[in-house]
Amino acid sequence: MRGYPVSRADFTASLVVFLVALPLCVGVAVASGVPAEFGLITGIVGGLVAGVLPGSSLQVSGPAAGMTVLVYEAVHLYGIGALGVLVLAAGVVQVVLGLMRLGQWFRAVSVSVVEGMLAGIGLVLVAGQLYVLADATAPGSMAQKLTGLPGLLFGTDGTGSAVAVGVGTVVVLIVWPKWRRAARIVPAPLVAVGLAAGATALFGLPVRRVEVSGLLDAVRLPGPGDWAKLMEAGVIGTVLAFALIASAESLFCAAAVDRLHDGKRTDYDKELIAQGTGNAVCGALGALPMTAVIVRSSANVQAGARTKASRVLHGVWLLVFVAALPSALGVIPLAALAGVLVHAGCKLVPVRALGPLWREHRGEALVLGATAGTVVATSLFEGVVAGLLLAVAKTAWDTSHVHVEVAGVEQAGGAVRVRVVGNATFLRLPKLLDALEALPRDRAVELDLIGLRHTDHACAAALEAWAGARAAGVRVRRAGVGVVPGG
């Protein structure tokens, strides 16, 4: 690879990332309702295209569990043929945002909204993949999935063999990392899926397996009918959801990866352009959208990667494997991949962090919970929008503190002195008016507003109306001194 000297550390790290990425690429594709090859194509593009471009040196891109819900909904609504157009358009949006230098703004998105989004995705992912884990057909709506879970738990749906394979996969994923020396050499997802495939073949278990038709056969260039989908009303919203959620997840991943190493920091605008370019290529090939993925990225850093050569090489290994051994994927049981995704979905829910967050930042915990709940109850896009609106409302409430100090009421005669400090917005208007209307109406008032850092239009109009309705004069002190006579 010209321009990217490959050190021994980068070479070794690329193999580790390849072994982590292989089962995840296949699993995410199956969970998204598309052929397994779509996920592999996206993983290859994440290495060979996004991996070469500047931005972040060590984070690795590919299909992500966090996008499965949105992709599944899009395929269900618009058809698998329209997926490429949606992903390509989302990539173009990302490139434009990067060229406009808006990458830094994604860092301003409330962490609670992002964590709530991921928690909601995790819950939806788990609810859907439990059916795949049991080789059962998942119902269409979330409510039906939840009400159907008892049938899975008590064994009236699905097959025992599939459940055993899936549960065994989850157990290996939990236990294997505890053997740290071995986990550094062979990643847990590969061990879990490999053991599941071996057990399935050895005992001849009657479970569903991955169906593979070949990489070139899966490539589907968007046609005129697919481009026409962009004229439909809901498609633009889906494209924006693809672009914004993929961008937020990638840039939050970049911030997390930067904390794991001491090397060059991420250029967020360049990274956004790289992600957009990768998604445009994925869309042109009819594959899944890609984001930077923390599981692969952290594995890359922990394996000792030093340059972007490791992530580029991981794309090479994916391409070589799929081209040389495509039939090897056909031995993987779907229940094992479902187990990998159930485990990944559970890790998206920040259970351990909820207690401390509730004790220290109750408002943030409410934003997180509301975002996750809305994602589960409605859709990913609506959940993110609801979370953003709630976060903005919370911030407005937190910053609009108004303190009213009253002096001189007990003294006979003379003016009542009132000092207002803080940020006067419509959110605090009832409190402000209650304090002012409680003042004696037959006494003059000296209203000191110098301590107000901000006054919105609603509060300014209310103050003028209150002063105009007073029987006695109101002397107002702002930056200068003015007098508003009483009525």
Side-chain angles (χ1 to χ4, degrees), residues 17 65 69 80 89 110 131 145 150 158 211 221 230 243 271 309 385 438:
V17 177
V69 176
I80 196 170
S110 169
Y131 288 87
K145 287 185 176 73
E211 297 179 2
L221 303 179
L230 291 177
E271 180 61 20
V385 171

Side-chain angles (χ1 to χ4, degrees), residues 10-198:
D10 286 326
F11 183 85
T12 303
S14 71
L15 292 173
V16 172
V17 177
F18 157 68
L19 295 175
V20 172
L22 180 62
L24 291 176
C25 287
V26 177
V28 169
V30 173
S32 301
V34 300
E37 294 88 346
F38 283 27
L40 293 166
I41 292 171
T42 298
I44 293 168
V45 173
L48 300 184
V49 178
V52 174
L53 297 175
S56 174
S57 297
L58 299 181
Q59 76 171 359
V60 183
S61 301
M67 295 290 288
T68 54
V69 176
L70 188 58
V71 172
Y72 184 88
E73 292 176 353
V75 171
H76 179 72
L77 288 174
Y78 308 114
I80 196 170
L83 180 61
V85 171
L86 298 177
V87 176
L88 195 157
V92 172
V93 171
Q94 288 181 289
V95 171
V96 171
L97 293 175
L99 292 174
M100 295 174 64
R101 305 189 66 80
L102 296 179
Q104 298 287 345
W105 284 95
F106 282 91
R107 302 176 69 187
V109 177
S110 169
V111 174
S112 296
V113 174
V114 176
E115 290 183 343
M117 174 194 74
L118 294 176
I121 289 170
L123 294 172
V124 174
L125 188 61
V126 169
Q129 289 304 299
L130 284 175
Y131 288 87
V132 182
L133 185 146
D135 270 0
T137 302
S141 68
M142 187 63 183
Q144 292 172 329
K145 287 185 176 73
L146 295 177
T147 56
L149 288 179
L152 292 176
L153 296 176
F154 295 107
T156 57
D157 296 323
T159 66
S161 298
V163 172
V165 170
V167 172
T169 301
V170 175
V171 171
V172 173
L173 289 169
I174 295 173
V175 174
W176 184 259
K178 298 183 184 298
W179 189 8
R180 295 185 179 180
R181 180 175 297 179
R184 292 194 194 101
I185 300 172
V186 185
L190 184 69
V191 174
V193 173
L195 288 175

Side-chain angles (χ1 to χ4, degrees), residues 345-373:
C346 290
K347 292 177 70 175
L348 290 176
V349 183
V351 177
R352 293 182 180 178
L354 287 178
L357 185 64
W358 177 257
R359 290 190 295 270
E360 299 172 13
H361 305 284
R362 189 158 297 184
E364 295 294 334
L366 290 174
V367 172
L368 190 157
T371 303

